[in-house]
Amino acid sequence: MSETRRRVWIDTDPAITSGNGEVDDGYALLQALRSPELDVVGVSAVFGNTDIDNTYPMAQEILARAGREDVPVYRGHGARGERGANEATDALLTALDTSQLTIIALGPLTNVAAALGQTGAELYHVDEIVFVGGRRVGLEFRATPDQADPFRDLNFELDPEAADELLKLNVPMTLAGWEVSSTMWLTNDHLETLRGDGDAVAEWLADQSQAWLDNWVANFKAPGFTPFDTLAVGWLLRPELFEARRLPAEVLFTPERPLFHADQAIDGRDIIYLPSVDNDRFRDDLMARLLMRPV
């Protein structure tokens, strides 16, 4: 492990509610908090998987359950296009004033665009924005080949203008979207391991994940569920496990839907795009961190 911990800010839209919400934000938060390579200096909540009145207290709850009340949690924006200052954007800008910072964006980019778009934002202090969104040209999001209707690129589509604004700011950006996570599964066996070998928060996370996993198995005939957001954190921890490509990217506003595309043929600004990961080694690393085992 490097002697210098990487300063990170996590912007998140957790929706672990009543055991049936999307759970991957919770996994990513616990993964980051239990990784000594990272210094999580702040967490901001944003609307996305559910509304801000749910994501904000859920982010607070996850950190409290993890015993990390030392990490402040800030309430951010609740709707597409909001760009004003609030406690989340102010805190993010304060963190940027201090020194280099990596931003892990697990939900819509609303808070991040609102902060970095302000006059005087210390953009040269942004090491990287790792965003769970974007696609290569022509890629559709399906859990299995039998899935009739593809998923939306939800984090991006809930505020596509925010992605466009950040591209134009020319800050370093990595896209850890659907493609890199689409074959990485957590199964019932992994939930049982978290229940049997983990602490109270790992057990709680597994219990909250059961309905989500059962939904994926029943509705998509999948072997488990995909912990999308953990790949963004994992890129910072174990980059050697990932295939990474430098590609031009652009945001397209078409009549059908907005698209955040990366492709060599695009005349856009360069980003890092992650198409694949060593699934077995990544999953082993993720489980070790969740269980607080050596990695």
Side-chain angles (χ1 to χ4, degrees), residues 158-281:
L158 286 175
D159 196 344
E161 293 84 2
D164 192 43
E165 291 162 24
L166 290 171
L167 277 179
K168 290 174 180 175
L169 289 177
N170 207 34
V171 291
M173 182 176 287
T174 297
L175 302 184
W178 168 269
E179 187 171 9
V180 69
S181 57
S182 60
T183 57
M184 226 296 292
W185 304 105
L186 293 184
T187 67
N188 263 314
D189 288 344
H190 298 108
L191 298 191
E192 288 304 313
T193 298
L194 291 174
R195 292 187 181 104
D197 299 340
D199 62 357
V201 65
E203 181 180 359
W204 171 79
L205 190 57
D207 288 343
Q208 297 299 308
S209 302
Q210 191 66 58
W212 185 246
L213 184 148
D214 292 344
N215 174 63
W216 276 67
V217 172
N219 293 327
F220 305 122
K221 310 305 180 200
F225 70 91
T226 298
F228 304 104
D229 293 345
T230 64
L231 279 296
V233 178
W235 163 247
L236 301 179
L237 298 168
R238 299 290 304 277
E240 74 277 8
L241 300 182
F242 291 77
E243 178 189 1
R245 301 184 185 180
R246 181 170 293 278
L247 294 173
E250 66 180 354
V251 173
L252 295 177
F253 294 93
T254 69
E256 297 80 18
R257 60 177 177 176
L259 295 167
F260 193 177
H261 272 169
D263 189 86
Q264 200 60 58
I266 288 173
D267 182 18
R269 58 148 291 206
D270 281 357
I271 52 86
I272 299 296
Y273 184 88
L274 306 179
S276 66
V277 66
D278 184 324
N279 289 319
D280 291 339
R281 292 173 66 196

Side-chain angles (χ1 to χ4, degrees), residues 5-12 28-35 38-45 56-75 87 91 95 101 104:
R5 301 171 69 202
R6 186 165 187 165
R7 294 179 74 242
V8 300
W9 183 281
I10 302 177
D11 192 68
T12 180
L29 283 167
L30 193 59
Q31 172 195 20
L33 293 168
R34 293 186 165 178
S35 294
L38 304 180
D39 177 16
V40 182
V41 300
V43 171
S44 51
Y56 176 52
M58 180 52 63
Q60 292 177 305
E61 180 178 350
I62 293 169
L63 268 71
R65 285 181 177 273
R68 292 301 307 272
E69 292 95 334
D70 59 302
V71 178
V73 181
Y74 302 95
R75 182 186 175 102
E87 65 174 35
L101 186 69
I104 306 174

